[in-house]
Amino acid sequence: MTSHTKMRLGIISALHEEQQGLVEAMQGPQRRSHGMRDYTLGTLWNIDAVCVLSRLGKVAAAMTASILVEKYGVTHIVFTGVAGSGDKHVKVGDIVVAEALLQHDMDARPLFPRFEVPLTGLQRFATDLELSSQLAGAAEDFLRDELAKVLPGKDIQEFALQQAQVHRGLIASGDQFIGSAAHINQLKADIPDLLAVEMEGAAVAQVCFELGVPFTVIRTISDNANEDAAVDFMQFVKSVASPYAFHVIRKLCQRLAG
């Protein structure tokens, strides 16, 4: 990986709550507005960084990632947010660090195979192994050492976070909120190694692939992508996903800064 003295880390989230505290933790923050988004440049735990909210969906995420690289000189990208579970072993409160991402709503058959992004020859875009390993390590450190200190006991009990784990594998993205068991079960049948579903990561993955920028995606599991998915969603994001993201990114920056 590029040495941290040359690194400029782009941190993208879809929702304000998924990035709560990071901008406030920045040293020397400078805000820039471009393309209806606010980019905050500064230093996070000795890492040169740019924080931005993409808003929801693949187009919004792709535009944001492109601007981070082309206008703000970002060398590495991390997307942090929440996702629905795509596997019975992936529980609410678990963390998934992507090893690869695909667009589950990409279907240009019969011109191209299902899920293949036309003219790339790829269905899946791999994350940067080194960056993902550092991120997974940061997440594991957080769950082991700090979860019980950071979250109130009532939230740990309510969301059954005592056994929270880190998983690494495939995340699928699409421009739809998955809120039915039938839908997630069909996706799982079509993509057996699926771990989580969300709405942005694979778009960022394609942009980073095409621009040659190392990236990774981390998602806190907020729901089981079924009929209960929207119940208390924002409460979970504020109470659990927000502190998860803040402390995992802090630990990642400390690791990268050496």
Side-chain angles (χ1 to χ4, degrees):
M1 184 187 295
T2 307
S3 74
H4 67 266
T5 52
K6 299 176 185 171
M7 172 185 282
R8 172 169 275 192
L9 182 66
I11 303 167
I12 310 175
S13 306
L15 298 169
H16 171 71
E17 291 81 4
E18 295 167 336
Q19 212 170 83
Q20 188 89 43
L22 287 178
V23 169
E24 290 79 3
M26 271 190 164
Q27 293 180 298
Q30 299 176 40
R31 180 165 292 181
R32 304 276 190 271
S33 291
H34 185 78
M36 299 175 70
R37 287 161 180 77
D38 290 331
Y39 296 78
T40 306
L41 293 66
T43 304
L44 274 175
W45 300 287
N46 297 313
I47 293 292
D48 186 15
V50 185
C51 291
V52 60
L53 301 181
S54 62
R55 306 199 304 263
L56 275 69
K58 292 190 301 180
V59 173
M63 175 177 170
T64 306
S66 301
I67 291 169
L68 273 176
V69 176
E70 294 295 317
K71 186 171 181 65
Y72 296 110
V74 159
T75 62
H76 298 71
I77 287 178
V78 174
F79 196 110
T80 175
V82 295
S85 173
D87 186 277
K88 67 178 187 291
H89 299 295
V90 179
K91 311 290 189 185
V92 170
D94 283 1
I95 292 172
V96 178
V97 176
E99 292 185 343
L101 296 105
L102 67 72
Q103 298 178 43
H104 65 72
D105 56 354
M106 174 60 73
D107 191 349
R109 291 177 296 182
L111 301 178
F112 299 90
R114 186 180 180 191
F115 306 130
E116 183 174 306
V117 176
L119 307 182
T120 67
L122 295 173
Q123 294 177 328
R124 301 175 179 216
F125 294 88
T127 59
D128 182 73
L129 182 58
E130 170 72 9
L131 194 57
S132 297
S133 295
Q134 294 277 22
L135 187 57
E140 287 164 358
D141 288 350
F142 165 71
L143 290 181
R144 182 186 64 245
D145 301 335
E146 297 187 5
L147 176 63
K149 302 174 191 171
V150 169
L151 266 69
K154 65 177 180 60
D155 289 335
I156 293 175
Q157 290 289 335
E158 179 180 353
F159 296 109
L161 306 178
Q162 298 90 338
Q163 306 299 321
Q165 299 179 56
V166 177
H167 308 266
R168 297 182 66 176
L170 180 70
I171 295 177
S173 310
D175 281 320
Q176 43 202 193
F177 184 84
I178 308 296
S180 82
H183 195 167
I184 192 63
N185 290 341
Q186 185 60 56
L187 278 177
K188 185 67 172 175
D190 295 338
I191 312 165
D193 57 338
L194 178 66
L195 292 186
V197 290
E198 37 91 310
M199 298 178 66
E200 296 86 22
V204 173
Q206 184 179 339
V207 168
C208 289
F209 167 76
E210 296 188 11
L211 293 177
V213 171
F215 77 98
T216 190
V217 174
I218 183 170
R219 294 286 187 170
T220 300
I221 300 300
S222 58
D223 59 81
N224 291 309
N226 58 19
E227 282 74 11
D228 298 323
V231 178
D232 293 332
F233 174 78
M234 287 313 299
Q235 185 204 339
F236 179 89
V237 172
K238 290 174 184 172
S239 301
V240 179
S242 178
Y244 266 44
F246 177 86
H247 290 284
V248 172
I249 293 297
R250 175 177 58 81
K251 285 187 166 293
L252 173 67
C253 288
Q254 289 168 344
R255 280 170 165 256
L256 295 175

